[in-house]
Amino acid sequence: IYVIALLHIVLFTYAAVSKLLDFENFQVQLGQSPLLSVYAGWVAWSVPLIEITLALLLMNRRTQFLALIGSFLLMVMFTAYIFIILQFSEYIPCSCGGILEKMNWTEHLYFNLFFCCLSAFAIILTEIEKYSFIKIATINFKILLLAISSSVAIITVVLLFLKSEQLIHQENNFVRRYPPHLYNKKQQINLNYVGHYFAGSNHKSFYLGNYSAPLTVMEIDFDLKKMKQYKIKLDDYSLPYRAAQVRVLDTTFYLSDGTVPCLFKGMITTWNANRIPINAQRFSSFEPIDDTLAVIRSRKQSNNESTLGILKHSYDKNNIRWNNSLLQKQIDGVFDSDGILDYNPSLQKIIYTRSAL
């Protein structure tokens, strides 16, 4: 009994100190848990406090029996938590930190089960008849006590899980979870330089532009095994370029700079681009839709607020059709409507993701 109590003291003390020393990270991990997201605030404080309390009670022979029951309850709850995570959760969050972070969740489950068995064994061995607060000392009573305790612990964890999911999905208490490990890395490639952005793709490769080298395009196959670099050649270098960006749509590429404004078009087979004359309407974003259409973001001439428009372009004629009601003003109509403009060829839809709340 003494050895088992000592093992629990070491475990609880170490676990509590690890959580408190890295409390902010522990709280964030609980917030991403599919079981405890809603209760992350008070659970983050209560768990280390309970562990410290149990460690102190285990040191005293008078309170050792109650502390062993509390330890058994806590370890059963931890075990039930991990079992639900492994069997019923949509994703598996990060571990709880410390040396236990080196274990995977299955190993952690067996580790907890081992300590459950230790505390249960210690409870059965304890001579509880000599304590004045309890008179019955049969093994049957102890087994019944363990069964009731474990049932209460498991039911508590299940109810927390069900209530948490209800609050997350139905009552919307503004807790946001970001599930990790939704992908498995198959391949990687070193780009060697910073400043890359996605410029587009076709059936065999995707293309990266670079803010630091606006006329440089990198082609990478989808297996991340082949990488080629190209230099765009323009028929006019005299313009005051400041924010040139590249977009690739199938076999065609575009280079645009809305601060000029200007638009160049070419084929990826040669990477030579010819200028297309467009109206003197400056724009901050450009996304091609097909060979003659593009969506742009610009400013309204009347009040300088952001707006979206469809640019129909060709070498001999171009025009813009605006929709001033899509980006609705919240505060100033500029920063509050800022976002990422994109076009999805598969869905054939323009997508605008606002970055401001």
Side-chain angles (χ1 to χ4, degrees):
I1 297 173
Y2 172 79
V3 173
I4 293 175
L6 185 62
L7 288 174
H8 281 81
I9 291 171
V10 173
L11 174 65
F12 290 151
T13 304
Y14 172 78
V17 171
S18 299
K19 293 179 178 70
L20 293 175
L21 288 178
D22 196 10
F23 181 76
E24 184 176 353
N25 184 41
F26 173 60
Q27 194 172 32
V28 169
Q29 289 179 352
L30 283 179
Q32 299 305 309
S33 167
L35 205 67
L36 300 174
S37 299
V38 179
Y39 317 107
W42 61 268
V43 170
W45 284 107
S46 61
V47 169
L49 290 178
I50 291 173
E51 290 174 335
I52 292 173
T53 302
L54 288 174
L56 293 174
L57 293 176
L58 285 168
M59 295 178 185
N60 192 328
R61 290 295 299 270
R62 291 183 176 275
T63 58
Q64 197 173 74
F65 179 73
L66 291 178
L68 285 171
I69 295 177
S71 302
F72 177 76
L73 278 169
L74 187 63
M75 295 309 298
V76 170
M77 293 180 73
F78 288 164
T79 304
Y81 170 78
I82 295 177
F83 181 80
I84 292 175
I85 289 290
L86 291 174
Q87 298 297 323
F88 303 105
S89 175
E90 296 177 355
Y91 64 95
I92 298 177
C94 297
S95 187
C96 58
I99 193 172
L100 302 182
E101 197 172 42
K102 305 300 181 181
M103 300 182 184
N104 60 42
W105 282 84
T106 303
E107 292 171 344
H108 206 158
L109 177 67
Y110 292 134
F111 179 86
N112 287 357
L113 284 172
F114 173 72
F115 270 87
C116 286
C117 294
L118 284 182
S119 55
F121 182 62
I123 291 171
I124 293 175
L125 289 180
T126 304
E127 298 178 5
I128 61 176
E129 70 273 10
K130 68 181 180 181
Y131 300 126
S132 60
F133 54 80
I134 192 166
K135 301 300 183 182
I136 305 175
T138 63
I139 293 179
N140 290 335
F141 167 78
K142 296 176 182 178
I143 294 175
L144 179 62
L145 180 65
L146 292 173
I148 294 175
S149 301
S150 59
S151 299
V152 170
I154 293 172
I155 292 173
T156 301
V157 175
V158 171
L159 290 177
L160 285 175
F161 172 66
L162 296 177
K163 186 62 177 178
S164 175
E165 290 302 291
Q166 178 187 359
L167 290 173
I168 286 290
H169 297 294
Q170 297 180 14
E171 300 184 20
N172 191 16
N173 65 338
F174 297 102
V175 175
R176 296 294 178 262
R177 296 192 303 218
Y178 302 92
H181 315 308
L182 294 182
Y183 63 90
N184 294 319
K185 184 173 69 175
K186 295 178 61 177
Q187 185 62 274
Q188 67 180 19
I189 191 169
N190 188 354
L191 298 177
N192 298 321
Y193 303 100
V194 298
H196 292 95
Y197 62 88
F198 284 102
S201 64
N202 52 33
H203 65 282
K204 64 175 183 177
S205 305
F206 65 92
Y207 297 85
L208 301 180
N210 194 296
Y211 294 110
S212 302
L215 297 181
T216 300
V217 178
M218 187 176 295
E219 179 186 8
I220 304 175
D221 71 324
F222 289 119
D223 293 329
L224 299 185
K225 294 181 178 179
K226 297 179 181 179
M227 180 172 59
K228 297 179 182 179
Q229 188 166 294
Y230 303 99
K231 185 77 171 181
I232 296 176
K233 299 178 181 178
L234 305 179
D235 63 353
D236 187 353
Y237 293 93
S238 62
L239 300 175
Y241 303 104
R242 288 188 297 171
Q245 290 194 33
V246 180
R247 293 292 183 267
V248 178
L249 185 65
D250 199 15
T251 59
T252 307
F253 77 93
Y254 298 87
L255 186 140
S256 64
D257 191 333
T259 64
V260 176
C262 65
L263 177 62
F264 292 82
K265 180 180 179 181
M267 305 298 293
I268 63 173
T269 53
T270 62
W271 295 101
N272 295 327
N274 299 317
R275 184 183 176 187
I276 302 175
I278 59 174
N279 294 332
Q281 175 69 46
R282 295 188 177 185
F283 53 88
S284 55
S285 294
F286 173 92
E287 288 296 327
I289 296 176
D290 57 30
D291 287 342
T292 60
L293 291 178
V295 56
I296 61 174
R297 182 183 63 190
S298 184
R299 300 280 187 88
K300 301 177 186 177
Q301 295 182 352
S302 58
N303 53 20
N304 211 33
E305 295 176 6
S306 297
T307 184
L308 297 179
I310 296 295
L311 169 64
K312 187 175 183 180
H313 58 81
S314 64
Y315 289 101
D316 55 354
K317 182 180 180 181
N318 61 85
N319 57 69
I320 304 175
R321 177 166 51 90
W322 301 103
N323 189 326
N324 294 325
S325 63
L326 290 176
L327 301 183
Q328 297 181 2
K329 176 180 177 180
Q330 303 293 323
I331 301 175
D332 58 3
V334 180
F335 292 102
D336 58 357
S337 59
D338 190 23
I340 300 173
L341 179 62
D342 198 4
Y343 175 74
N344 190 312
S346 301
L347 300 177
Q348 294 186 345
K349 290 185 180 296
I350 298 166
I351 300 173
Y352 191 82
T353 306
R354 289 178 55 169
S355 54
L357 296 178

